[in-house]
Amino acid sequence: EIAKRKDDVQKLERLIADLIRSEMEKSDVVKGDNKVPDIDLTNITSSFEKNKSLLPWPVSSGFVSERFGSHPHPIYKRIKVPNDGISIQTKQDEKVKAVFNGMVKKVAVVPGMKYVVIVQHGNYYTVYARLKDVFVHMGQNIKINDILGAVNTDVNGVSELQFQVWKNTTKLDPELWLAK
C-alpha cells in the first residue's frame, strides 16, 4: 500500500512537472538571444501573488487531513510519506472550485489520483486531484469559484481532495495561500 501510494504521488508529480516545464518553454517569446516574458503572464502572476493567504478554499467544507511536506506514516512511524500539497477531507460529492482566475492547462487521469485538473495562473499553478468528475476542459478560461469537478470517494468512504500550489517548478505550501 505504501509503495503504491508513493508510485501514485510520483506519477502525479511527473505529470505536473512535465506540464510546467512545457508551459515555461512556451511562455517565453524569443527575440534573438533574449527571452521576453509574456505581459499577460506577468500581470496574472502579480495578481496571484497579491492574494497570498486570501485565496478561497477549493471546497465549501472540510478540514486539512494531511499537511504539506513529509510526515510519518500513520501506522508505520519510521516510514515517511511525502505530500506535495495538502489533503482536504470533505463530504461526498463535494464540488471543487477554482481558487483564482486562470486557464485549465491539463485534465488527466492519474492512477490512484483519479481525475486531475491543473490550472495556470501566470507563473503559478494550482492542482486539484482525486476528482471523480470533471466539468472543465483543457484551454478553458476560468474564474475564481468556478466549479472544476467533484471529489472522489474512495473504497473506505473517505472523500478527500489533493490540492497543490506550484510556482513554476517549486512546490509551495497551499495552506499559506488559502484564507484562514
Side-chain angles (χ1 to χ4, degrees), residues 66-135:
E66 188 178 319
R67 291 190 151 42
F68 177 77
S70 246
H71 308 281
H73 186 274
I75 298 168
Y76 306 105
K77 300 296 182 196
R78 288 189 222 139
I79 296 175
K80 294 281 186 184
V81 179
N83 192 347
D84 292 340
I86 57 174
S87 299
I88 303 172
Q89 216 171 93
T90 186
K91 58 188 176 197
Q92 187 171 355
D93 297 323
E94 179 73 11
K95 300 297 184 248
V96 176
K97 301 173 287 188
V99 298
F100 200 74
N101 301 339
M103 179 184 281
V104 176
K105 285 297 184 174
K106 191 77 165 175
V107 175
V109 175
V110 175
M113 294 286 175
K114 298 291 182 182
Y115 282 103
V116 176
V117 174
I118 302 174
V119 178
Q120 182 180 22
H121 318 276
N123 291 336
Y124 288 88
Y125 296 83
T126 50
V127 180
Y128 310 80
R130 295 189 187 131
L131 304 178
K132 73 171 187 174
D133 295 310
V134 173
F135 308 135

Side-chain angles (χ1 to χ4, degrees), residues 10 28 41 43 60 78 94-95 101 118 122 126 130 134 151 153 158-159 165 167 171-172 179-180:
Q10 287 174 341
D28 289 330
L41 288 179
N43 289 340
S60 297
R78 288 189 222 139
E94 179 73 11
K95 300 297 184 248
N101 301 339
I118 302 174
T126 50
R130 295 189 187 131
V134 173
V151 172
T153 300
V158 177
S159 302
V165 177
K167 180 175 184 183
K171 303 165 202 164
L172 305 173
K180 302 292 178 223

Side-chain angles (χ1 to χ4, degrees), residues 154-174:
D154 69 16
V155 295
N156 298 319
V158 177
S159 302
E160 191 172 62
L161 172 71
Q162 169 64 207
F163 177 67
Q164 300 180 10
V165 177
W166 293 57
K167 180 175 184 183
N168 292 322
T169 57
T170 304
K171 303 165 202 164
L172 305 173
D173 183 347

